[in-house]
Amino acid sequence: MYSPKPQFAFAAFASILFAGNALATLPFGHYGPEGAVLFLNGFHFVSGHTDWEISANHYCTIIRDDLLQCAVYNTATAPAHLAGVEYIITEDAFNTLDYEERQLWHSHAYEVTSGFLIEPGLPTSVDHTIMKDVLINTYGKTFHTWRYDQQNSTYPIGIPELVVGFTHDDQITPDFVLNRDELFGVNTTEVRESRCDIVPNAVLAGADSWKYGYVLELGIVNRTVDMTFPNESQQVLL
């Protein structure tokens, strides 16, 4: 039976971030959306393409106690492209989703314990509190509108794609992690060791569907419909 640990409301951790001017320093001249209270960097890969690795900056705002929304930037481009969006929900919220919906979501447990998910510029104590009490048992749904295979294009060409997260050691290219660490002046191994006391709940069924061989891709469906507008027959005075 599902028996979650007590949830730490998203709204509650804003006070942690603002205490003592502990907000992360935002690099690259990007300040994200107005009201962003959390800056994260983590790794994604595109559904169906384990070699399409992405170092993604997240600028997150609080929508509700169980929902964050994050603007996602790709650090591989200069200036960094707005790649897409990630929604982050609590464990309790994820448990309300049906199984068709769950396959679009990835877990954050390994991202936290591995040290892959970082908060550049935050003191270690603040980082530890947020990871342990807020993010460890959350789930993310991420779509990139600027495709990986078009990241060097002048414009965001093509159909948006689902991106997902790593779940185990030896999945990501080691040099890719080292390059990220150099960019932010961090050491993922040290971050991992600092979080050794963080123990996640078991990942809920349905998340990380790629582990079961499912590749989820979007496509364009063309169909003919009646495009009459409701008020088309009425004269509208402006």
Side-chain angles (χ1 to χ4, degrees):
M1 179 179 295
Y2 171 70
S3 180
K5 296 178 181 178
Q7 295 288 312
F8 189 96
F10 286 152
F13 82 82
S15 61
I16 299 173
L17 285 167
F18 287 106
N21 295 317
L23 277 173
T25 300
L26 306 181
F28 314 119
H30 293 295
Y31 289 88
E34 184 178 355
V37 298
L38 185 64
F39 172 57
L40 302 166
N41 176 269
F43 300 120
H44 292 158
F45 68 92
V46 177
S47 177
H49 299 276
T50 57
D51 57 332
W52 289 11
E53 300 169 335
I54 303 162
S55 172
N57 286 344
H58 301 61
Y59 298 88
C60 305
T61 58
I62 299 169
I63 303 302
R64 292 193 308 273
D65 278 355
D66 61 354
L67 174 65
L68 300 176
Q69 67 179 20
C70 309
V72 180
Y73 290 80
N74 184 349
T75 66
T77 61
H81 291 158
L82 176 60
V85 62
E86 176 163 4
Y87 300 99
I88 298 176
I89 60 174
T90 62
E91 184 178 39
D92 283 346
F94 182 83
N95 201 48
T96 67
L97 304 179
D98 62 40
Y99 279 84
E100 182 177 35
E101 174 63 26
R102 290 186 187 196
Q103 64 185 326
L104 300 173
W105 296 76
H106 62 272
S107 63
H108 289 142
Y110 175 76
E111 293 188 42
V112 170
T113 59
S114 66
F116 285 177
L117 189 63
I118 61 172
E119 299 167 283
L122 282 186
T124 301
S125 59
V126 177
D127 169 85
H128 191 277
T129 297
I130 293 172
M131 293 295 170
K132 182 178 181 180
D133 294 339
V134 180
L135 294 176
I136 183 63
N137 294 312
T138 58
Y139 294 81
K141 180 180 183 179
T142 311
F143 280 94
H144 283 187
T145 53
W146 203 308
R147 295 175 54 89
Y148 178 92
D149 59 359
Q150 296 293 331
Q151 61 184 320
N152 295 319
S153 297
T154 304
Y155 306 107
I157 304 300
I159 300 171
E161 56 196 2
L162 178 71
V163 298
V164 292
F166 298 95
T167 60
H168 197 273
D169 292 345
D170 303 323
Q171 291 175 344
I172 196 171
T173 305
D175 284 348
F176 197 75
V177 179
L178 293 176
N179 290 338
R180 188 283 299 269
D181 287 2
E182 182 178 354
L183 180 64
F184 288 102
V186 300
N187 185 306
T188 293
T189 300
E190 293 179 357
V191 174
R192 177 193 293 240
E193 292 172 350
S194 74
R195 298 176 184 172
C196 63
D197 63 318
I198 301 179
V199 180
N201 294 342
V203 174
L204 295 178
D208 303 319
S209 61
W210 65 265
K211 295 190 301 182
Y212 308 103
Y214 300 131
V215 176
L216 305 176
E217 297 178 339
L218 303 184
I220 295 177
V221 177
N222 291 313
R223 58 193 180 95
T224 302
V225 298
D226 180 3
M227 292 300 295
T228 301
F229 291 93
N231 298 317
E232 191 169 307
S233 61
Q234 302 177 20
Q235 183 178 5
V236 179
L237 300 178
L238 300 178

